[in-house]
């Protein structure tokens, strides 16, 4: 069998694509780890009410996904189907994210004020999730359009999740520094944190949308414009780095409001400037991807646009008749349900069970995400030799051991807690890399069987079911905590001591429950049918099909 043509991508393309997940990741990571805690221990909401807010937000988010997916598939612009959605959604994304971290006062009556806060957070959460979907879903659907090469897709996703995990790590560092800067003012801490993440998100999304080019379409900026914008951004980033360095030098720091040590403002200045520097350099050194602009790419794009549109229910039927796709959905759901259940309850575990400070929860999360980032490159290299599902087995097996260890952990075993966090990072990295690397393969199988390209629909339904599962899981966590007698913190008061029943509920939610879910994911991965050889055969048949169709014209 002849190998299909390779479609290698330039480094600047991979960097820009990876940056597209930095913005959503740096925002979403703080939501995952601290939004439930913010509701109960800063805004003063009962855990049941807080869990309901998260559930409503996730359900609304899930409903948005297939709608935006179908609309983006049908979008027709000179720049393509996905990039206009990213550009149009980034400002609302940043605005509504920032508004989630304020605590308005609706009434002096505690009960009435709680219901006012409930309504406010539900409303803002729904609007934020709509904006999040408009930037994130079209972004994820770009993967199969940029390259069809099996190994190159894994490489592309490794860049994506390097930025994703890197954003998660940096957001945790920002949280730790914000906790140091505002130790007795959590309201200001979370608002500053939310605003900073919004700014970083806009920079990253602009980087992706202004550098990436969709197959068979024009780039938003031509090469000349990219170099001009790149020069400006590079200059601005250098000034920002100089400002941050001067804040760290004792002799000059006092003139700029600094203390001569690394603080929140200095770190944010360095981070945003480095992001702008990468943005500028990727535009300065941008190169044209020949396989995205050639006549064959334009013809494939034209063929896809001329295909007959299907109704929502017809597309739903086709999606769920794709057997490998159902396995991918299940693997993804199990992986991320385990991640988000552990993440949402981790701060309670560290503070209430381990009797440590809030900033320590950031360090534990940092150990998980830091290990995941390092392991991402190792797993990506292993994927060049082994099938994706074998890599998933290897990482998830270590992860399950770590989850079980957390349940057996005793409050005085702080060092062991960090060791288990590092072990969990081995598995979290495959949760990032493997399911999303499988989706493009499934999409090409669907194209071979149906003759249509529906990236947006597949990505939308994958995320839809995942979010319904997460909505139910987060809601149950809140309800179980409240039923177990969890005592929410009154704003301005010390963190209360939790009863033994609440501590047991926290331990179960952080350890054995995610472990059981991961075992289900392993079973599904075992039966996933698309191997490296099967994918190569799919690509060859697609190439022959496209050539045959063009010869008939």
């Amino acid at each position: 069998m002849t190998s299909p043509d390779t479609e290698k991508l330039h480094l600047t393309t991979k960097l820009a694509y990876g940056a597209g997940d930095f913005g959503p990741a740096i925002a979403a990571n703080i939501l995952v780890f601290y939004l439930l805690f913010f509701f109960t221990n800063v805004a003063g909401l009962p855990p049941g009410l807080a869990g309901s807010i998260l559930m409503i937000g996730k359900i609304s988010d899930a409903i948005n996904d297939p709608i935006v997916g179908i609309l983006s598939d049908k979008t027709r612009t000179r720049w393509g189907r996905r990039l206009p959605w990213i550009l149009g959604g980034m400002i609302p994304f940043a605005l509504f994210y920032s508004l989630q971290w304020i605590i308005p006062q609706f009434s002096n009556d505690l009960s009435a004020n709680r219901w006012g806060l409930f309504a406010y957070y539900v409303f803002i959460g729904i609007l934020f999730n709509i904006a999040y979907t408009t930037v994130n879903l079209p972004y994820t659907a770009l993967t199969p359009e940029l390259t069809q090469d099996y190994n190159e897709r894994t490489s592309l996703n490794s860049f994506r999740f390097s930025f994703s995990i890197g954003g998660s790590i940096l957001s945790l560092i920002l949280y730790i520094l914000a906790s140091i800067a505002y130790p007795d003012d959590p309201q200001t801490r979370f608002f500053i944190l939310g605003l900073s993440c919004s700014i970083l998100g806009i920079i990253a999304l602009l980087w992706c949308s202004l550098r990436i080019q969709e197959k068979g379409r024009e780039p938003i900026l031509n090469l000349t414009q990219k170099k001009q914008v790149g020069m400006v951004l590079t200059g601005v980033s250098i000034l920002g780095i100089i400002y941050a360095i001067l804040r760290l030098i004792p002799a000059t720091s006092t003139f700029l409001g600094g203390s001569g040590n690394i603080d929140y403002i200095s770190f944010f200045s360095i981070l945003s400037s480095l992001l702008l520097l990468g943005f500028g350099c990727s535009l300065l050194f941008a190169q044209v991807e020949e396989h995205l602009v050639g006549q064959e790419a334009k013809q494939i794009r034209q063929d896809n646009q001329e295909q007959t549109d299907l109704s929502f229910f017809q597309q739903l039927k086709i999606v769920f008749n794709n057997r490998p796709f159902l396995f991918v959905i299940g693997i993804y759901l199990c992986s991320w349900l385990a991640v988000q259940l552990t993440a949402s309850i981790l701060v309670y575990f560290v503070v209430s069970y381990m009797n440590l400070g809030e900033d320590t929860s950031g360090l534990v999360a940092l150990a998980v995400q830091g290990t995941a980032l390092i392991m991402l490159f190792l797993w990506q290299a292993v994927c060049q030799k082994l099938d994706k599902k074998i890599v998933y087995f290897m990482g998830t097996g270590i992860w399950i051991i770590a989850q079980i260890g957390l349940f057996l952990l005793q409050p005085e075993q702080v060092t062991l807690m960090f060791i288990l966090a590092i072990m969990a990072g081995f598995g979290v990295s495959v949760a990032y890399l493997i399911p999303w690397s499988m989706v493009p393969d499934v999409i090409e199988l669907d194209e071979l069987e149906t003759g249509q390209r529906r990236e947006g629909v597949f990505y939308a339904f994958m995320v839809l079911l995942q979010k319904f599962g997460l909505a139910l899981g987060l809601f149950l966590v809140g309800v179980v905590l409240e039923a177990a007698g969890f005592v929410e913190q009154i704003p301005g008061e010390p963190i209360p001591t939790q009863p033994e029943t609440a501590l047991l509920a926290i331990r179960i939610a952080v350890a054995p429950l995610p472990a059981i879910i991961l075992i289900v994911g392993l079973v599904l991965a075992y039966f996933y049918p698309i191997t490296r050889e099967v994918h190569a055969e799919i690509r060859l048949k697609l190439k022959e099909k496209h050539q045959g169709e063009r010869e008939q014209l």
Side-chain angles (χ1 to χ4, degrees), residues 349 353-354 356 405-420:
F349 180 81
Y353 178 69
M354 298 296 292
L356 301 171
L406 281 176
F407 182 74
L408 302 175
L409 198 67
Q410 299 302 309
E412 66 276 4
Q413 297 174 314
V414 178
T415 302
L416 181 57
M417 177 181 66
F418 280 97
I419 293 174
L420 293 172

Side-chain angles (χ1 to χ4, degrees), residues 131-180:
Y132 183 91
T133 301
T134 60
V135 298
N136 191 246
L137 183 63
Y139 164 77
T140 58
L142 282 172
T143 311
E145 297 194 22
L146 293 177
T147 179
Q148 293 183 323
D149 185 272
Y150 185 89
N151 290 330
E152 196 70 358
R153 280 180 175 171
T154 306
S155 174
L156 191 64
N157 274 293
S158 71
F159 273 83
R160 172 190 173 184
F161 293 118
S162 293
F163 274 90
S164 180
I165 300 174
S168 300
I169 291 171
L170 292 169
S171 69
L172 293 170
I173 296 174
L174 284 171
Y175 173 79
I176 293 169
L177 292 175
S179 299
I180 296 172

Side-chain angles (χ1 to χ4, degrees), residues 212 253 370 487 529:
I212 291 294
S253 62
V487 181

Side-chain angles (χ1 to χ4, degrees), residues 13 30 111 165 191 213 228 298 327 329-330 334 342 362 376 380 406 434 445 460 467 483 532 547 549:
T13 300
I30 296 297
S111 178
I165 300 174
F191 175 72
Q213 177 179 357
Q228 291 172 344
K298 294 179 180 179
F327 283 107
I329 289 177
C334 290
T342 304
L376 196 64
Q380 194 273 330
L406 281 176
I434 300 304
L445 175 61
K467 287 177 179 176
R532 183 187 303 270
Q547 289 175 343
E549 291 172 349

Side-chain angles (χ1 to χ4, degrees), residues 343-509:
S344 64
I345 208 73
L346 181 64
V347 62
Y348 298 104
F349 180 81
V350 171
V351 173
S352 297
Y353 178 69
M354 298 296 292
N355 299 317
L356 301 171
E358 292 177 33
D359 55 339
T360 306
S361 69
L363 293 174
V364 176
L366 202 58
V368 176
Q369 299 285 11
T371 305
L373 178 60
I374 295 171
M375 290 303 302
L376 196 64
F377 297 100
L378 174 62
W379 293 134
Q380 194 273 330
V382 175
C383 279
Q384 304 294 317
K385 304 295 183 182
L386 302 176
D387 280 340
K388 296 169 184 176
K389 65 179 183 180
I390 296 177
V391 175
Y392 182 81
F393 261 89
M394 294 168 64
T396 305
I398 300 172
W399 188 5
I400 291 172
I401 295 172
Q403 292 293 140
I404 296 173
L406 281 176
F407 182 74
L408 302 175
L409 198 67
Q410 299 302 309
E412 66 276 4
Q413 297 174 314
V414 178
T415 302
L416 181 57
M417 177 181 66
F418 280 97
I419 293 174
L420 293 172
I422 292 171
M423 290 176 61
F426 280 69
V428 171
S429 59
V430 298
Y432 280 99
L433 182 63
I434 300 304
W436 285 112
S437 298
M438 291 175 170
V439 179
D441 306 339
V442 170
I443 291 172
E444 287 178 345
L445 175 61
D446 174 69
E447 182 186 4
L448 180 63
E449 295 176 344
T450 68
Q452 298 199 36
R453 296 281 298 187
R454 290 181 295 272
E455 295 95 337
V457 174
F458 277 95
Y459 280 105
F461 279 104
M462 178 175 175
V463 178
L464 179 148
L465 293 180
Q466 179 246 5
K467 287 177 179 176
F468 271 123
L470 290 177
L472 179 60
L474 293 173
F475 171 70
L476 290 177
V477 167
V479 170
V480 169
L481 284 180
E482 188 163 354
F486 182 89
V487 181
E488 65 272 12
Q489 183 177 359
I490 299 174
E493 298 291 329
I495 296 176
T497 301
Q498 299 298 334
E500 288 297 324
T501 52
L503 294 178
L504 179 61
I506 290 171
R507 293 173 63 204
I508 291 174

Side-chain angles (χ1 to χ4, degrees), residues 3-147:
S3 298
D5 296 336
T6 59
E7 294 183 351
K8 299 295 184 181
L9 295 169
H10 294 116
L11 177 62
T12 56
T13 300
K14 292 181 180 180
L15 288 171
Y17 177 76
D21 212 30
F22 182 90
I26 200 169
N29 192 63
I30 296 297
L31 293 177
V32 169
F33 278 101
Y34 293 107
L35 187 58
L36 183 62
F37 181 80
F38 172 79
F39 287 154
T40 60
N41 285 42
V42 183
L45 294 175
L49 212 57
S52 298
I53 296 172
L54 297 179
M55 181 185 69
I56 294 170
K58 286 294 182 183
I59 290 176
S60 68
D61 194 14
I63 294 171
N64 297 331
D65 288 329
I67 297 173
V68 173
I70 293 171
L71 290 177
S72 69
D73 275 349
K74 295 182 178 181
T75 297
R76 303 289 182 263
T77 73
R78 59 189 290 191
W79 304 292
R81 299 182 289 179
R82 318 298 179 189
L83 297 180
W85 283 85
I86 299 174
L87 282 173
M90 64 177 64
I91 298 300
F93 164 81
L95 174 63
F96 293 123
Y97 183 78
S98 298
L99 292 176
Q100 286 186 112
W101 301 104
I102 67 174
I103 308 176
Q105 182 71 29
F106 293 100
S107 173
N108 292 326
D109 180 74
L110 181 60
S111 178
N113 190 62
R114 281 177 173 175
W115 283 107
L117 289 173
F118 173 81
Y120 171 80
Y121 290 125
V122 166
F123 178 68
I124 294 298
I126 290 173
L127 293 178
F128 167 73
N129 283 315
I130 292 173
Y132 183 91
T133 301
T134 60
V135 298
N136 191 246
L137 183 63
Y139 164 77
T140 58
L142 282 172
T143 311
E145 297 194 22
L146 293 177
T147 179

